[in-house]
Amino acid sequence: MYETERLEEPAARSESRLLLVEDDDGDALIVEDLLDLAGSDFEIVRARSLKQARDLLRRNRFGCVLLDLGLPDGQGLDVVHALLDEASDVAVICFTGLDDERSGAAAVAAGAQDYLVKGQVDGELLSRAIRYAMERRRAEEQSRQLYASEVRAGEYARLERGLLPLTQTRDPALGVTARYRPQAGDLLGADFYDVVEAPDGRVFVLIGGVAGHGPEEAALGVSLRVAWRALVMAGVDPNRLLPVLEDVLIRERRSDEIFVQATLCVIDADRLTAHLWLAAHLPPVLLDPVPTPLPGDPASLALGLLPPGAWRGRKITLPTRWRLLFYTDGLVEGSRGHGMPHELGVPGLLDLARSSRVISDDGADVVDDLLDRVQGAHGGELPDDVAVIAVQWPREFQ
């Protein structure tokens, strides 16, 4: 018996359900008899027209469609295209007449998995063809998904390289360490950073993040990071960098709700002074002699909030030997410890930095140890992406 109405059921049931699209009652009965004789357990649902088949495909899941290429409301490849437009993930076997094998081959080229000639098929062949068609369709879908995943990963990798560039410094006595860890389960976040040494010896450091996650936010972060580097290389006054960067953000963002938090620091050529600008961002930490946050402007606004912000730089006096730790807020948003619901926060980060056994070692070791400690305190992958930069003078700190 044929069924023409069925509510959607789990995918496991759909593997044994066939949609027979055949307007001829005699041909439809032959198909049913062949499958019965072969001992198959396929459940057959019949449609007598292309329209009825498309309606059934909208409401139900099928493992395979047996499709007659000559229907009252469609002929040949038009039928195949219309059916695949409705359900591109279903396996399709086309039935052709004895004198029309060319149409069957064309149907396979158009996306069907196989074709059979009416009158030249027995039950075993038909049952085997259905199962092979479903396996081929499943393999095609897996290959498509793998290819899409590889393309997406490649696009993300290119975006990530734009967010996380090679730092540009020439001073051999200056040490720079950069690390990035994405949010758990994400390929890509929207944190960015850059370090550029100007011809006059000043070192410009930028770190920040676009509100949100995903490729659009990441692409915006890349645009801002590249714009910032171009401004630095063009010799723009440091006091103008954040206002111009905000202007770029406003022109490039897709929504007025998108904003950016950032830290800008300019380390003078003498390495004894620096100037710090904060745009609603956490201030860097001076690790030596005791881990301490640098003073910033607590009233600073994020980039992109209206009215446009005005950021005041603050002069910082540095010790003769120093290490500065710049980081995005993902580093302090994790849990403070197992079973403790409140977040780590800046005080918790300072505690971990003070207790680090490698606090006097190489900058890269310090950063890696601190990241591991933060993640260990959280008890697993951190809930947000994290970018960290450590800049130290001199490179050989001990």
Side-chain angles (χ1 to χ4, degrees):
M1 297 294 292
Y2 297 113
E3 298 185 30
T4 57
E5 295 293 335
R6 172 75 61 170
L7 296 177
E8 185 172 343
E9 296 181 12
R13 283 294 306 276
S14 71
E15 292 297 308
S16 63
R17 184 184 300 149
L18 304 181
L19 176 59
L20 175 60
V21 188
E22 174 63 73
D23 63 317
D24 187 284
D25 290 338
D27 287 344
L29 183 60
I30 290 174
V31 170
E32 182 184 24
D33 289 343
L34 289 175
L35 291 176
D36 282 344
L37 290 173
S40 69
D41 57 354
F42 293 118
E43 173 191 345
I44 302 175
V45 178
R46 171 132 178 241
R48 292 175 170 79
S49 67
L50 178 60
K51 180 181 183 303
Q52 188 179 14
R54 297 183 68 177
D55 289 341
L56 286 168
L57 286 168
R58 292 190 190 103
R59 301 194 306 272
N60 303 274
R61 296 176 64 89
F62 295 91
C64 186
V65 176
L66 305 179
L67 178 63
D68 184 9
L69 293 181
L71 296 171
D73 53 351
Q75 298 287 322
L77 293 184
D78 291 340
V79 175
V80 179
H81 290 309
L83 195 77
L84 292 176
D85 286 343
E86 194 63 56
S88 60
D89 60 342
V90 68
V92 177
I93 298 177
C94 296
F95 281 124
T96 70
L98 181 62
D99 59 347
D100 197 21
E101 291 189 51
R102 182 176 300 178
S103 295
V108 172
Q113 275 62 54
D114 203 351
Y115 75 94
L116 299 172
V117 178
K118 291 182 179 180
Q120 293 189 352
V121 59
D122 58 23
E124 290 294 334
L125 176 60
L126 177 57
S127 179
R128 188 165 59 248
I130 293 170
R131 297 192 185 279
Y132 284 176
M134 289 191 292
E135 288 300 323
R136 281 195 295 272
R137 184 66 193 91
R138 187 158 37 243
E140 290 170 2
E141 179 61 20
Q142 290 172 347
S143 296
R144 186 195 66 79
Q145 292 179 358
L146 177 61
Y147 175 75
S149 177
E150 291 174 345
V151 170
R152 185 166 56 253
E155 292 174 346
Y156 278 17
R158 286 190 289 273
L159 282 173
E160 187 171 301
R161 286 195 295 271
L163 290 167
L164 317 174
L166 294 175
T167 57
Q168 300 291 316
T169 59
R170 300 182 305 277
D171 185 350
L174 189 74
V176 178
T177 300
R179 295 288 187 268
Y180 172 75
R181 292 189 182 181
Q183 178 181 359
D186 276 5
L187 289 173
L188 188 68
D191 286 355
F192 56 86
Y193 64 74
D194 205 351
V195 180
V196 176
E197 184 177 354
D200 61 7
R202 290 180 299 170
V203 175
F204 290 70
V205 181
L206 174 72
I207 191 167
V210 179
H213 294 84
E216 290 189 3
E217 288 78 6
L220 180 57
V222 172
S223 299
L224 296 174
R225 203 275 309 164
V226 172
W228 179 86
R229 178 175 283 200
L231 293 169
V232 171
M233 295 176 66
V236 172
D237 182 347
N239 289 291
R240 290 287 302 147
L241 290 175
L242 290 182
V244 176
L245 206 61
E246 181 179 55
D247 188 44
V248 174
L249 167 64
I250 291 172
R251 294 172 185 271
E252 294 293 328
R253 65 186 178 183
R254 58 178 171 79
S255 169
D256 291 344
E257 298 176 356
I258 294 178
F259 61 90
V260 170
Q261 297 171 295
T263 289
L264 166 63
C265 184
V266 180
I267 302 168
D268 293 334
D270 61 10
R271 307 294 185 249
L272 297 176
T273 54
H275 291 79
L276 179 66
W277 291 261
L278 299 179
H281 201 263
L282 296 171
V285 173
L286 180 64
L287 291 175
D288 309 282
V290 177
T292 307
L294 293 181
D297 182 2
S300 64
L301 297 177
L303 303 176
L305 299 180
L306 297 177
W311 297 274
R312 297 177 296 175
R314 175 167 294 190
K315 185 176 181 179
I316 305 295
T317 300
L318 299 172
T320 56
R321 303 163 67 83
W322 49 263
R323 277 181 299 200
L324 290 173
L325 183 75
F326 301 84
Y327 58 96
T328 54
D329 54 10
L331 188 64
V332 297
E333 289 180 345
S335 171
R336 193 180 180 95
H338 298 288
M340 302 178 68
H342 57 286
E343 69 177 23
L344 180 69
V346 175
L349 177 66
L350 296 176
D351 289 342
L352 292 178
R354 293 185 188 112
S355 63
S356 174
R357 290 174 295 177
V358 296
I359 195 64
S360 298
D361 294 345
D362 177 77
D365 294 334
V366 172
V367 171
D368 291 336
D369 179 72
L370 191 56
L371 280 169
D372 290 342
R373 283 169 171 267
V374 169
Q375 189 164 311
H378 183 65
E381 297 293 328
L382 295 174
D384 200 356
D385 44 297
V386 178
V388 179
I389 305 173
V391 183
Q392 70 180 51
W393 171 269
R395 177 187 293 272
E396 301 300 329
F397 195 76
Q398 290 183 325

